[in-house]
Amino acid sequence: MKEKKLGLTSLILMIFTSVYGFNNIPRSYYLMGYAAIPWFVIAGILFFIPFAFMVAEFGSAFRHESGGMYSWMCKSVGPKYAFIGTFMWYTSYVLWMVNVSSGIWVPVSNILFGRDTTATWSLFGSDFLSGSRLLGIMAVAFFIFITYFDAKGVDKISKVTSIGGTAVLTINILVVVGSIVMIIVRGGQLQQPFEGFESLKTPLNAAYQGSPIAILSFIVYALFAYGGIEAVGGLVDKTENPEKNFPKGIISAAMVIVAGYAFLIMLVGSFTNYSEILGSKEITLGNVSYVIMSNFAAEIGKAFGVSHSAQLALAHGFARVYAFIMLLALMGAMFTLVYSPLKQIIEGTPKELWPGKMGEIDKDGMPGNAMWIQCTIVCVMILLISFGGDTMQQFFLILTAMVNVGMTVPYMFISYAFPKFKKMKDVDRSFVVFKSQKSATIWGYVVTITLFLANLFAIIQPAMEGDIKTTIWSLSGPVIFGICAWLIYSTYEKKTHASEAAEDILKDNTAEDARVI
């Protein structure tokens, strides 16, 4: 039976769902206010569109290869480069697991209490086992629980919790419709006044005002908001008339996503006065989404003249609903991502690469041994960060910074490999966007430099303001995991060379024996 191809509209929707993330909007508004919008546009032009075209060309040329991005970089540059880049892509999910395991207790708190109370939690009334330290202990227990069930092949819960994704889309629609209704009811008044170019230029967050490095460091958040675009590499051959429709689909999806982020940031400002709602030290990158959504419900009540007590009831009720939806979505993602990237990198690379029994796939189809090693690494990182003695605000800042840097650095390996890929001979070029070697080289380096500078600013900015700890943690992921990847591959090379040398000696001895006989 002939496979049904994706039309232009279906392709745009596929790209949109792979990339768009609602949580990026309240976080961006919290960090920059309306001034986040231009950076989403810049990141879209310098990263999202050209990078999407690059992975599309890679995916089309190597569509018969099973290794995904490992195959792309291996054939373009070399196996060692490919392994290090792919390993760092995998470890970006390890950092994500550290973040989500710690942050998942914020929606739990909202479900139970209608707001985030995690900063006040303590175990047996102990000051030492409270705040971020208690969250760390709970995160470790949670991640061991997830790993145990996933290692047994019990990932069925991810199918149930996938309804969280649909529910998040419903929340998006509700926010758009509700915000527009509130603007109309208030006669066009925005809770956070928009003052044209001045609002787009000046961040609302005092920490970003007057600091060019801080503002430039925000671009890594915008780049992170376009994460997941590497998934489009496999869509070229599933698209109807790809030479015509795929470039149109990428550009159309980019415009929809950029416009969507910009429009929703504006709408958040329409019902969220920055200083009144987000000026408190209790607001963190972990709970800001729930605070904003709670405020959304309260403002709807206020716009229609309900009592203050009714506004509070609406706020707590909607916070519980939104938190439950996000909990479902995060649980579903966690159950899948605990094994999926790990299994993908193990199956896409030579088995001999992996030390001991790490590369084995068990009878349940899971890389069980590797999953428990991963669990140990995640738990150690959680405990090191959570017991660092930081405030809850600083705790979530470190976690978010680590994930943003960790998930964008691996893209540099792909973009840097692209000009070398374009020089390859005897490659299927049935889908081409960059028509010349010169354009491929220019855009390959533009994307690589954009990623490098964004991460550089994001890493050094906290240190320049006296926050050495966030800088060290942001840098630790790429550096430590990069060194681990290099050591794993170097050990594999030594074993391979030793094995080849032994085979050569055996052949020489056999030939010598034959001559003697």
Side-chain angles (χ1 to χ4, degrees), residues 413-492:
F413 283 80
I414 297 174
S415 59
Y416 183 76
F418 186 70
K420 294 172 175 54
F421 156 74
K422 292 294 282 188
K423 290 178 181 177
M424 291 175 66
K425 307 295 182 187
D426 302 320
V427 174
D428 179 3
R429 304 283 185 190
S430 56
F431 176 79
V432 177
V433 176
F434 299 94
K435 304 295 183 184
S436 67
Q437 180 64 45
K438 184 178 179 181
S439 65
T441 301
I442 289 170
W443 279 107
Y445 292 146
V446 164
V447 171
T448 304
I449 291 167
T450 299
L451 288 163
F452 174 78
L453 291 177
N455 281 290
L456 177 66
F457 293 136
I459 290 167
I460 66 170
Q461 181 259 332
M464 291 178 69
E465 296 179 1
D467 182 9
I468 301 293
K469 190 179 287 186
T470 300
T471 290
I472 291 172
W473 276 112
S474 298
L475 195 58
S476 65
V479 171
I480 292 171
F481 290 130
I483 291 171
C484 286
W486 183 82
L487 289 173
I488 291 170
Y489 199 88
S490 296
T491 304
Y492 166 70

Side-chain angles (χ1 to χ4, degrees), residues 55-367:
V55 297
E57 283 203 31
F58 271 126
S60 176
F62 299 126
R63 61 185 175 275
H64 300 301
E65 301 286 339
S66 60
M69 67 173 67
Y70 176 80
S71 298
W72 304 349
M73 294 186 286
C74 183
K75 293 183 178 296
S76 302
V77 182
K80 192 169 192 174
Y81 178 92
F83 179 73
I84 293 172
T86 308
F87 189 82
M88 290 182 71
W89 164 81
Y90 153 68
T91 55
S92 69
Y93 286 98
V94 172
L95 299 175
W96 179 87
M97 293 169 208
V98 171
N99 187 4
V100 172
S101 297
S102 305
I104 203 163
W105 304 104
V106 176
V108 170
S109 174
N110 275 274
I111 291 169
L112 295 175
F113 307 109
R115 60 191 182 92
D116 178 24
T117 61
T118 52
T120 65
W121 291 2
S122 66
L123 191 63
F124 309 124
S126 167
D127 284 339
F128 180 72
L129 295 178
S130 64
S132 62
R133 288 184 287 271
L134 178 58
L135 288 195
I137 293 169
M138 294 168 69
V140 166
F142 170 74
F143 196 75
I144 292 171
F145 168 82
I146 294 284
T147 301
Y148 174 79
F149 280 97
D150 260 0
K152 296 290 184 185
V154 187
D155 66 325
K156 303 297 183 293
I157 192 169
S158 65
K159 295 178 177 60
V160 177
T161 53
S162 65
I163 62 170
T166 306
V168 170
L169 180 61
T170 306
I171 290 288
N172 275 261
I173 295 168
L174 189 61
V175 169
V176 171
V177 174
S179 300
I180 292 171
V181 169
M182 281 190 279
I183 291 170
I184 293 169
V185 170
R186 288 197 299 258
Q189 182 185 356
L190 307 181
Q191 292 290 68
Q192 181 61 47
F194 180 73
E195 298 169 351
F197 180 73
E198 186 62 29
S199 291
L200 296 174
K201 185 185 73 168
T202 307
L204 293 172
N205 190 332
Y208 284 77
Q209 291 172 4
S211 174
I213 295 294
I215 293 171
L216 288 169
S217 73
F218 174 77
I219 198 171
V220 82
Y221 285 88
L223 294 172
F224 176 79
Y226 295 120
I229 190 60
E230 68 275 11
V232 308
L235 297 179
V236 177
D237 296 307
K238 294 179 173 65
T239 303
E240 196 176 84
N241 191 8
E243 290 79 8
K244 180 181 177 183
N245 284 337
F246 205 86
K248 278 186 181 178
I250 291 285
I251 293 170
S252 300
M255 291 173 68
V256 169
I257 292 166
V258 172
Y261 279 137
F263 182 56
L264 277 158
I265 288 170
M266 287 290 297
L267 289 184
V268 168
S270 74
F271 62 81
T272 308
N273 182 279
Y274 192 92
S275 59
E276 287 180 14
I277 306 300
L278 304 180
S280 167
K281 288 185 178 180
E282 293 179 2
I283 309 298
T284 70
L285 284 166
N287 67 17
V288 65
S289 297
Y290 306 94
V291 171
I292 285 176
M293 295 311 294
S294 175
N295 180 60
F296 167 76
E299 286 294 326
I300 284 183
K302 186 178 177 181
F304 288 96
V306 304
S307 66
H308 182 67
S309 59
Q311 289 174 37
L312 284 176
L314 279 170
H316 288 167
F318 194 70
R320 285 185 167 96
V321 171
Y322 178 68
F324 181 69
I325 289 169
M326 290 305 297
L327 184 64
L328 285 179
L330 290 171
M331 288 284 286
M334 182 66 89
F335 268 97
T336 301
L337 294 175
V338 160
Y339 74 88
S340 180
L342 185 57
K343 186 176 181 181
Q344 187 176 333
I345 191 175
I346 287 173
E347 291 184 335
T349 52
K351 187 180 177 182
E352 297 77 20
L353 251 172
W354 303 99
K357 297 181 178 181
M358 193 174 172
E360 292 182 2
I361 304 294
D362 60 29
K363 65 182 189 302
D364 294 313
M366 294 291 182

